[in-house]
Amino acid sequence: MSSQAGAARGPGMGPGGRKMPDLTTGPIGKTLILFALPVMGSNILQSLNGTANAVWVSHVLGEAALTAISNSNQIFFLMLGAMFGMSMAANIMIGQAVGAGDRDMARRVVGTATVFFLLLSTLIGVAGYHLTPAILTGMATPPDAKRDAIAYLRVIFTAIPIVYGFAFLMMAQRGAGDSRTPFYFSLVAVLLEVTLNPLLIIGVGPFPKLDIVGSATATLIAQSTTLTVMVIHLYRRKSILMLTPAEWRAFRPDWQVVRNLVFKGLPMAFQMIVISLAAVTMMSLVNGYGSTTAAAYGAAVQVWTYVQMPAMALGAAVSSMAAQNVGAGNMDRVSKIAKTGVLYAAVFSATPIVIIYLLDPFILQAFLPAGSAALPIAVHINSIVLWGFIPFGMAFIFSGIVRATGAVWPPLIAMIIALWGFRVPLANLLEPTLGADAVWIAFPVGSLVSLALSAAYYRWGGWRKSRMLPTMPHGEAADTGMAPPSGVEESEVAAEAATRTSPSAPSKPAS
């Protein structure tokens, strides 16, 4: 089908005139909330799933098994970070093509990205399976955990094509404007995995007793089953993401799309690495104050994971909305999306923070015993750090907007400056005089710097001229009646990946 035919139908139309999600028209606030809620639900499900699986492994198989999973997941985080960056690039290209009404381009992106991720994940899976012992040796994995870690990680490497395919298709649906379907299938995958985990670890009824391998196998079975059902469902709905036999020519690689996947995706992947390294560095500073302070910090981080979720969901929502509107040529609406997203991020980040301030230490007692010496330390940490998630959330929105045009390097540079130019050096500089408080103070300072840099680039940067694809917009969308733009915009990226951690491990905070 030609691009012109797709454009004639408009961005909201699918095969046979079927109405598809359209983020280029309608009230921005309502659309943003309705899009973000399923994304946040998916993130919460992943976090709860990781927590439940870790509890089963630690209680049934012991600390060595949990250590094995923790070491294995460090590798998995890096692989997911790289995949996330390139999936996000595909998401943006799909959104721009859908917004432009260019159905042919959307199909080419889907076909090329599908082949790209299939080949990449197969290569990583095969290489990782054979290199697992060497990788774990290089990480100095404790000897009592190494055998279990090898067994676990090899199953995870076997599952990599499924995991990558599942993640790509979930993000692609959001790029096409649909966040509800990914939520429903996330729910299915989580329920399957939570159910299978104890059955395969312990060996119940007809299920074999696989010990730690059972946890990884549960991930493989749950995601492969859910992915199969999801593909069937999307074919029946005639989704724009499913290529019919007549459209299989789209599986021939489009090298422009491949270049964008690599050169636009890698900066977003690097951002995940920058965040991870900064988090490890800050953790090393905390460890220097002993196990009690480290335990307090660990409990606080568990709370932060959930505090970040509204902003991360809004960041994913504004990125998808902005991408469609960039493709449609509605740059005025993009500015209004940015304004609305920033306001919502501030409000929805501040609300849980206020509640936590009022209810501490009771909330922290979910992670620490009531009489623990770490409890008052955790309360103190929250009193200094928590408010910093408000500017963090606002910066997250700005990055989602900028990235939606294809301008991916400035958010990465802003992140490097905020974390490695301010947060980490400030903690080291103030530590001799302030002790552990230097570490806590560095967190909100880093967030403020990130917001300042993001806002400055949004206001004065050249991101509005950037594009992922040479699509032709189908025309201006109707005015939404929203207020004029505020003149602020920029961002952050870890949106999906911060919570897109290993299904068998607790969520990793976005620093």
Side-chain angles (χ1 to χ4, degrees):
M1 182 177 294
S2 69
S3 300
Q4 288 77 8
R9 203 167 37 230
M13 302 309 291
R18 180 185 177 87
K19 186 69 177 174
M20 299 294 288
D22 183 4
L23 306 178
T24 63
T25 59
I28 290 174
K30 179 181 177 181
T31 303
L32 188 59
I33 292 296
L34 291 178
F35 194 97
L37 283 175
V39 177
M40 186 168 68
S42 298
N43 293 344
I44 292 173
L45 285 172
Q46 290 294 337
S47 295
L48 294 176
N49 179 34
T51 300
N53 291 347
V55 167
W56 273 109
V57 170
S58 62
H59 282 71
V60 175
L61 301 176
E63 294 181 359
L66 186 60
T67 300
I69 284 184
S70 298
N71 276 265
S72 300
N73 283 332
Q74 295 301 316
I75 305 301
F76 201 33
F77 291 146
L78 290 177
M79 292 188 298
L80 285 176
M83 180 281 305
F84 168 77
M86 286 178 276
S87 288
M88 192 65 187
N91 180 323
I92 292 169
M93 286 189 282
I94 290 169
Q96 288 187 9
V98 169
D102 193 338
R103 175 182 170 82
D104 181 63
M105 177 60 77
R107 293 289 191 180
R108 278 189 280 151
V109 173
V110 171
T112 298
T114 299
V115 173
F116 179 84
F117 282 114
L118 179 61
L119 293 176
L120 178 66
S121 61
T122 301
L123 288 173
I124 291 175
V126 172
Y129 184 91
H130 292 289
L131 294 174
T132 290
I135 292 171
L136 293 171
T137 298
M139 292 177 62
T141 302
D144 61 339
K146 188 173 181 180
R147 183 172 61 87
D148 280 347
I150 291 173
Y152 177 85
L153 191 55
R154 277 184 161 164
V155 177
I156 290 296
F157 273 119
T158 302
I160 281 294
I162 299 296
V163 173
Y164 272 29
F166 186 84
F168 163 65
L169 192 53
M170 298 283 275
M171 293 186 72
Q173 289 176 79
R174 291 171 185 155
D178 180 8
S179 64
R180 292 186 182 182
T181 302
F183 167 73
Y184 296 141
F185 282 101
S186 285
L187 180 60
V188 172
V190 167
L191 290 176
L192 270 176
E193 188 170 342
V194 169
T195 302
L196 288 171
N197 230 287
L199 298 178
L200 292 171
I201 291 173
I202 300 171
V204 177
F207 295 93
K209 184 178 183 298
L210 299 177
D211 293 328
I212 196 170
V213 172
S215 179
T217 304
T219 299
L220 174 59
I221 295 174
Q223 295 216 4
S224 58
T225 301
T226 307
L227 178 60
T228 301
V229 175
M230 182 162 53
V231 168
I232 293 172
H233 170 75
L234 292 176
Y235 262 116
R236 287 180 175 175
R237 281 181 50 190
K238 298 182 179 178
S239 168
I240 195 172
L241 303 176
M242 296 292 109
L243 303 182
T244 63
E247 297 166 323
W248 282 356
R249 66 184 183 280
F251 284 122
R252 291 198 299 266
D254 182 315
W255 295 110
Q256 180 189 26
V257 173
V258 172
R259 283 194 299 271
N260 281 336
L261 286 172
V262 175
F263 293 109
K264 299 291 188 178
L266 283 179
M268 291 185 274
F270 289 156
Q271 196 158 349
M272 298 307 303
I273 296 173
V274 167
I275 291 172
S276 296
L277 291 177
V280 169
T281 302
M282 298 300 276
M283 186 72 234
S284 68
L285 293 174
V286 173
N287 287 338
Y289 291 93
S291 59
T292 301
T293 300
Y297 177 72
V301 166
Q302 289 295 321
V303 175
W304 302 348
T305 298
Y306 292 95
V307 170
Q308 294 174 78
M309 284 186 178
M312 294 195 315
L314 285 167
V318 299
S319 185
S320 294
M321 288 183 68
Q324 283 201 15
N325 283 277
V326 167
N330 300 336
M331 295 307 292
D332 286 345
R333 184 174 169 88
V334 171
S335 296
K336 295 174 184 178
I337 292 169
K339 176 184 177 182
T340 305
V342 167
L343 291 174
Y344 281 5
V347 170
F348 292 126
S349 296
T351 300
I353 289 171
V354 170
I355 293 171
I356 292 169
Y357 277 144
L358 293 174
L359 296 181
D360 260 355
F362 302 107
I363 290 177
L364 285 163
Q365 287 179 19
F367 308 102
L368 293 169
S372 170
L375 190 57
I377 299 175
V379 172
H380 176 67
I381 293 172
N382 275 346
S383 70
I384 297 175
V385 174
L386 268 181
W387 68 269
F389 286 102
I390 298 174
F392 165 85
M394 297 167 70
F396 208 94
I397 298 300
F398 294 145
S399 289
I401 293 291
V402 169
R403 219 175 267 108
T405 65
V408 295
W409 283 102
L412 171 61
I413 294 170
M415 176 69 71
I416 293 172
I417 293 173
L419 295 184
W420 290 98
F422 284 86
R423 179 175 292 178
V424 174
L426 185 66
N428 282 290
L429 179 66
L430 297 179
E431 197 175 16
T433 54
L434 297 181
D437 279 355
V439 180
W440 321 140
I441 291 170
F443 277 96
V445 170
S447 295
L448 288 171
V449 172
S450 178
L451 175 58
L453 294 173
S454 299
Y457 183 74
Y458 171 78
R459 178 66 180 85
W460 293 292
W463 61 273
R464 291 171 181 82
K465 297 179 181 178
S466 180
R467 293 293 183 276
M468 279 274 202
L469 297 171
T471 52
M472 296 298 293
H474 63 80
E476 291 291 325
D479 194 327
T480 61
M482 298 291 288
S486 65
V488 195
E489 280 168 44
E490 227 266 357
S491 70
E492 187 134 285
V493 63
E496 290 265 340
T499 54
R500 184 67 189 143
T501 57
S502 165
S504 300
S507 251
K508 198 173 188 180
S511 89

